[in-house]
Amino acid sequence: MLRSSSGTRVLVVEDDPSMALLILAELGRVSCSVSLVENGLMAVRAWLSALDEQPFDAVIMDINMPVMSGEKAVYEVRRLERDLDEPRTPIIAFSGSEDMAKTQGWLDMGFDAVLRKPDQLNRLTSLVGQLAAHTRLAS
């Protein structure tokens, strides 16, 4: 479970306003700092600019978005992590796709976990907490 004392910072990348509100409500059950952007390009920019202050502990990313998809965004973040020698940021794919056979492909692409929306919305908070804690321990 994500706890307020953890100071966990989460970047939510979602282009559907109603789904964004559901995600924010779920994360609102615990106190954490949440930034919301609506496409992959904005996500890469937000991730990069956060490196100067306090990096995000986790990213929740939609797959199908305008401007830049979640797939392209995760590729760019992973490339930047390598190029800048930054620790790996946990990125959760949160997809409305019914084709969960794509899950392994998304994991191979660089996502750390895949959840289906809206069915698995209630798992977001605990998964973010687990991934962020694991990343902190590994640092």
Side-chain angles (χ1 to χ4, degrees), residues 59-104:
V59 177
I60 299 169
M61 180 138 12
D62 188 12
I63 299 291
N64 298 313
M65 296 177 287
V67 182
M68 180 186 284
S69 71
E71 294 169 334
K72 177 70 174 163
V74 79
Y75 173 83
E76 288 299 318
V77 168
R78 297 302 183 221
R79 182 185 63 76
L80 287 165
E81 285 172 339
R82 286 188 304 275
D83 291 353
L84 301 173
D85 197 28
E86 289 291 327
R88 184 179 175 104
T89 304
I91 303 176
I92 301 165
F94 196 46
S95 174
S97 173
E98 292 298 318
D99 184 6
M100 292 313 281
K102 293 182 178 180
T103 298
Q104 189 57 51

Side-chain angles (χ1 to χ4, degrees), residues 26 114-115 119-128 130:
E26 176 64 20
V114 178
L115 293 178
D119 307 358
Q120 296 179 312
L121 179 66
N122 63 344
R123 294 194 49 216
L124 273 179
T125 317
S126 61
L127 185 56
V128 166
Q130 291 167 5

Side-chain angles (χ1 to χ4, degrees), residues 14 16-28 94 118 121 124:
E14 176 59 61
D16 179 335
S18 59
M19 183 55 63
L21 287 174
L22 289 173
I23 295 168
L24 293 175
E26 176 64 20
L27 294 174
F94 196 46
L121 179 66
L124 273 179

Side-chain angles (χ1 to χ4, degrees), residues 30-31 36 46-47 57-58 60 75 80-81 89 127 131 139:
V30 294
S31 295
L36 175 66
W47 178 87
D57 296 300
I60 299 169
Y75 173 83
L80 287 165
E81 285 172 339
T89 304
L127 185 56
L131 290 172
S139 307

